[in-house]
Amino acid sequence: MTLIKEYHEITLEEPTLDLVDKIAIERNLNLESLRTPHLLTKEMQRDFYKEVICNRSVNSRFYDIRILGDESIGMGGFTPIQWENRCAEISLILFKHSVGKGDGEKAMLRLLDDGFDRLNLNMIYGECYACSKAIGFWRLMASKYHFYITELPYRKYFNGEYHSSLYFSIKKESWERLRGKR
């Protein structure tokens, strides 16, 4: 018996330029969540698509996250990937229509499977700011799936005040135990 809920309806597909344009809009609505809290222009997002998403020589992998290969619920992936250390930071942006339905958890689980199984990473980590709407999600996921967690105070300055940051990570060995593979 494993602790991992079913997520087989979630697929990871190649992102399209249209998806990346829509993600820019979603991203710009959530500046409190980002390291670079400035609005993205369409040109900036299209440059990101050409220079990062379509470029397999960079240390990033991004996916269009879909339900049954049909409806896109957002975009996620890993950046930067440190191949020499076999670790990467997880990235996940969901469209508003997918928030609160359990899609984020399923997407995270699918991404972890991809990172550990296909990319052969040894550790996946992430960061979420306390001022972000996503902080509750990441706290719950970190607790539920036994991530290592730590907090850094005064990590992000946003709206005139400093906010702490939640760092979380999970090793491949821990993930395999949760999946019942060890």
Side-chain angles (χ1 to χ4, degrees):
M1 173 111 163
T2 69
L3 293 175
I4 306 296
K5 73 190 284 184
E6 292 299 311
Y7 56 89
H8 299 293
E9 70 273 16
I10 299 290
T11 61
L12 302 178
E13 318 259 333
E14 289 293 317
T16 62
L17 186 56
D18 182 53
L19 169 76
V20 172
D21 286 344
K22 290 176 185 173
I23 287 295
I25 295 166
E26 200 68 39
R27 178 207 181 275
N28 285 344
L29 294 173
N30 296 289
L31 293 179
E32 75 281 353
S33 299
L34 307 169
R35 287 195 181 101
T36 52
H38 59 274
L39 295 172
L40 289 181
T41 65
K42 195 170 200 168
E43 293 77 25
M44 291 165 76
Q45 193 69 347
R46 288 177 175 227
D47 287 345
F48 173 76
Y49 179 76
K50 287 185 276 186
E51 295 167 11
V52 176
I53 292 177
C54 295
N55 183 352
R56 288 297 179 208
S57 66
V58 299
N59 292 332
S60 299
R61 297 294 180 271
F62 288 98
Y63 308 98
D64 179 355
I65 302 171
R66 296 183 163 267
I67 296 180
L68 297 174
D70 184 33
E71 179 189 8
S72 181
I73 62 170
M75 190 167 93
F78 303 101
T79 188
I81 301 172
Q82 298 173 25
W83 296 110
E84 69 280 5
N85 296 316
R86 294 179 46 221
C87 68
E89 183 172 7
I90 193 168
S91 174
L92 180 60
I93 298 177
L94 293 182
F95 293 121
K96 216 173 284 183
H97 70 268
S98 295
V99 174
K101 297 179 177 179
D103 292 341
E105 181 175 2
K106 292 175 187 176
M108 180 205 67
L109 296 171
R110 174 61 77 198
L111 285 168
L112 290 175
D113 249 0
D114 183 75
F116 289 127
D117 293 346
R118 194 179 64 76
L119 299 177
N120 195 31
L121 297 173
N122 183 54
M123 192 268 291
I124 296 172
Y125 63 95
E127 178 182 23
C128 186
Y129 302 117
C131 57
S132 169
K133 295 172 204 150
I135 191 69
F137 169 79
W138 285 110
R139 282 189 197 283
L140 178 62
M141 295 302 100
S143 172
K144 184 173 182 177
Y145 295 105
H146 310 287
F147 291 7
Y148 171 81
I149 58 173
T150 192
E151 288 201 37
L152 284 160
Y154 317 111
R155 173 74 171 102
K156 178 173 179 71
Y157 188 76
F158 184 75
N159 276 349
E161 61 184 286
Y162 285 95
H163 302 271
S164 65
S165 176
L166 175 75
Y167 275 94
F168 50 90
S169 65
I170 186 167
K171 288 176 43 179
K172 184 174 189 169
E173 178 182 313
S174 300
W175 176 248
E176 287 176 345
R177 260 197 309 280
L178 287 169
R179 295 289 321 276
K181 292 183 177 180
R182 280 191 176 236

